[in-house]
Amino acid sequence: MKKSVWITSLLFLLFNVACGQKQHFIEGAVEKGYTIKELSLKKYGVTNDVVTEIKVDNNKFKTAIPNNCKKGMYQLYLKEEHGVELVFDVIITGENDVELFIHKRDVNARRIEPNKVFETKDPINLKWKSYSDENLKNSEALSLLRNTWLTYPLEGDEKFLKQIKKQLKVLSKRNDQIIERAKADHEFLGALLSMKPKLYVDISAKREHQDSLLFLNSLKMYDLNQPELWNSPAYQNLFNRYLGMVYNKNKHLQREDLELEMVTGVDEIMDQITDTEVKGKAVNLLTQLFIPSGFDIVVRHIDLVYGEEGSCDNDEIKHKRERRIEGYKRMKKGNIAPAITGEGQENMLNSLDSDYKIVVFWASWCPHCMQMMPELNKWFDWHPNAKAIAVSLDTDPTSYKNTIISFPNFKHTSEFKKWESENVKNYFVTGTPAIFILNKKNEIISQAKNIEELNKVFKTLK
């Protein structure tokens, strides 16, 4: 091992001896011939922060686990020399070292299986693998038997149906028993296992009601007030599963109605959380889950209803939430819209003489914008009572000038500063395309993300 690595480990050890704490390590070996470019320990959560880098020297590694590393499940992130990335879950309790052996990946395998690359050797992670494997096998058996029960002919063999129901009861009970055994072995393992996917089966109810009962109980089966599990993927996985069910159940609805159903799903999650620490972190996690999908109604609801309860040690996320809340207030219906500066004018809005004014934020590098802009340009041919300003977030003047030639129904402007543009900041734009509908007096009427939503607004104005 390199001298610098030994010195670092020795300093960690001396510090912990002085503090009366035993230092624990992540240590192990790598199969010869397997070249690793990067190995690190990362947190689960919103930002996936790196906890510590792990240095591999002569196919061996030993890195001190930082003292501020809380009990939880972490990601062991591996990047090969050719760019292939693998992630493996490891549990750190602060009670023992984490021991691993990293096998050379089978490059001919059809899919990458981390469990065949990473081999755990320490007691806690070995126990976790054993309990989770047992839980998975039992859950798969329960799922298979449940499907058999639900699809068996209604006029089928009653004796056979009775046997199935009896076995369903046994398998359901066994899941609980596995969790209890894990909890008796180690409290954290039991808690983590209790958040794994479960199947709700009520053999006393009719078969045709089982799917509805599964949905109704998909949150009630879990204890959402376990702060010790926050430092793991448990909550994120559960929220994703439940909100995915809500989405699939309502995806046939119009976008606004779909978002309102997702709002209800968020409220149901938050209603079940009473622990202050969990509630604060859940606010931030739920927000980050919806922002990439452009669910603005849901994000706005979370910010305004639960924002004050949100706890965040990430300054960037906190600042963005504060900016959004400020934006909701500033861009409220009836307020005077901020000026659009550009092309030598203090406010380009004043150059538009029409009943309605449309402000569009777009960019030539945005696929959704480039899909919408040609249609929106034609839209103004059918709406002579509306005129528009297109504010581009482009940074390349040549690309910008070549693109706007195709959209003559707009007055165009760009500061070529992307998200740092003053117009973008003043309108609190967080994604493109973004459309603002104003009246003749520059008062805000509404906002839209596409032509469909724009048409919906205009129908109410006639």
Coordinates of all heavy atoms in Angstrom, one line a residue, residues 362 369-370 372-377 390 403-412:
W362 N -37.7 29.7 -24.5 CA -37.3 28.5 -25.4 C -35.8 28.5 -25.6 O -35.1 29.4 -25.2 CB -38.1 28.6 -26.7 CG -37.6 29.6 -27.6 CD1 -37.7 31.0 -27.5 CD2 -36.7 29.4 -28.8 NE1 -37.0 31.6 -28.5 CE2 -36.4 30.7 -29.3 CE3 -36.3 28.3 -29.4 CZ2 -35.7 30.9 -30.5 CZ3 -35.5 28.5 -30.6 CH2 -35.2 29.7 -31.1
C369 N -38.9 22.3 -27.2 CA -39.1 23.7 -27.7 C -39.1 23.6 -29.3 O -40.0 24.2 -29.9 CB -38.0 24.6 -27.3 SG -37.8 24.9 -25.5
M370 N -38.2 22.9 -29.8 CA -38.1 22.8 -31.3 C -39.2 22.1 -31.9 O -39.6 22.2 -33.1 CB -36.7 22.2 -31.7 CG -35.5 23.1 -31.3 SD -35.7 24.8 -32.0 CE -35.6 24.5 -33.7
M372 N -42.3 22.3 -30.5 CA -43.4 23.2 -30.3 C -43.4 24.5 -31.1 O -44.4 25.0 -31.6 CB -43.5 23.6 -28.8 CG -44.7 24.5 -28.4 SD -44.5 25.2 -26.8 CE -43.3 26.5 -27.1
M373 N -42.2 25.1 -31.2 CA -42.1 26.4 -31.8 C -42.7 26.6 -33.2 O -43.4 27.5 -33.6 CB -40.7 26.9 -31.8 CG -40.2 27.3 -30.4 SD -41.0 28.7 -29.7 CE -40.2 30.1 -30.6
P374 N -42.5 25.6 -34.2 CA -43.1 25.7 -35.5 C -44.6 25.8 -35.4 O -45.3 26.6 -36.1 CB -42.6 24.5 -36.2 CG -41.4 24.1 -35.6 CD -41.6 24.4 -34.1
E375 N -45.2 24.9 -34.5 CA -46.7 24.9 -34.4 C -47.2 26.2 -33.7 O -48.2 26.8 -34.1 CB -47.1 23.7 -33.5 CG -46.8 22.4 -34.1 CD -47.3 21.2 -33.2 OE1 -48.4 21.3 -32.7 OE2 -46.5 20.3 -33.0
L376 N -46.4 26.7 -32.8 CA -46.8 27.9 -32.1 C -46.7 29.1 -33.0 O -47.5 30.0 -33.0 CB -45.9 28.1 -30.9 CG -46.3 29.3 -29.9 CD1 -47.7 29.1 -29.4 CD2 -45.3 29.3 -28.7
N377 N -45.7 29.1 -33.9 CA -45.6 30.2 -34.9 C -46.8 30.2 -35.8 O -47.4 31.3 -36.1 CB -44.3 29.9 -35.8 CG -44.1 31.1 -36.7 OD1 -43.7 32.2 -36.3 ND2 -44.2 30.9 -38.0
A390 N -40.4 36.0 -28.0 CA -39.7 34.7 -27.7 C -38.4 35.1 -27.1 O -37.5 35.7 -27.7 CB -39.6 33.9 -29.0
T403 N -31.9 29.9 -36.4 CA -33.2 29.2 -36.0 C -34.4 30.2 -36.0 O -35.5 29.8 -36.5 CB -33.1 28.6 -34.6 OG1 -31.9 27.7 -34.5 CG2 -34.3 27.8 -34.2
I404 N -34.2 31.4 -35.5 CA -35.3 32.3 -35.4 C -35.9 32.8 -36.8 O -37.0 33.3 -36.9 CB -35.0 33.6 -34.6 CG1 -33.9 34.4 -35.3 CG2 -34.6 33.2 -33.2 CD1 -33.6 35.7 -34.6
I405 N -35.1 32.6 -37.9 CA -35.6 32.9 -39.2 C -36.9 32.1 -39.5 O -37.8 32.6 -40.2 CB -34.5 32.5 -40.3 CG1 -33.3 33.4 -40.1 CG2 -35.1 32.7 -41.7 CD1 -32.1 33.0 -40.9
S406 N -37.0 30.9 -38.9 CA -38.2 30.1 -39.2 C -39.4 30.5 -38.4 O -40.5 29.9 -38.5 CB -37.9 28.6 -38.9 OG -36.8 28.2 -39.6
F407 N -39.2 31.4 -37.5 CA -40.4 31.8 -36.6 C -40.6 33.3 -36.7 O -40.3 34.1 -35.7 CB -40.0 31.4 -35.1 CG -39.6 30.0 -34.9 CD1 -38.4 29.7 -34.2 CD2 -40.2 29.0 -35.6 CE1 -38.0 28.4 -34.0 CE2 -39.8 27.7 -35.4 CZ -38.7 27.4 -34.7
P408 N -41.2 33.8 -37.8 CA -41.4 35.2 -38.0 C -42.5 35.9 -37.2 O -42.5 37.1 -37.1 CB -41.6 35.3 -39.5 CG -42.3 34.0 -39.8 CD -41.6 33.0 -39.0
N409 N -43.3 35.1 -36.6 CA -44.5 35.7 -35.9 C -44.1 36.1 -34.4 O -45.0 36.4 -33.7 CB -45.6 34.7 -35.8 CG -46.4 34.6 -37.1 OD1 -46.3 35.6 -37.9 ND2 -47.0 33.5 -37.4
F410 N -42.8 36.0 -34.1 CA -42.4 36.4 -32.8 C -41.4 37.6 -32.9 O -40.7 37.8 -33.9 CB -41.6 35.3 -32.1 CG -42.3 34.1 -31.8 CD1 -42.4 33.1 -32.8 CD2 -42.9 33.9 -30.6 CE1 -43.1 31.9 -32.5 CE2 -43.7 32.7 -30.3 CZ -43.8 31.7 -31.2
K411 N -41.4 38.4 -31.8 CA -40.3 39.4 -31.6 C -39.3 38.6 -30.8 O -39.6 38.1 -29.7 CB -40.7 40.6 -30.9 CG -41.6 41.6 -31.8 CD -41.8 42.9 -31.2 CE -42.4 43.9 -32.1 NZ -42.5 45.3 -31.6
H412 N -38.0 38.5 -31.2 CA -37.0 37.7 -30.6 C -36.0 38.5 -29.8 O -35.7 39.6 -30.1 CB -36.3 36.9 -31.7 CG -37.2 35.9 -32.3 ND1 -37.4 34.6 -31.8 CD2 -37.8 35.9 -33.5 CE1 -38.2 34.0 -32.7 NE2 -38.5 34.7 -33.7

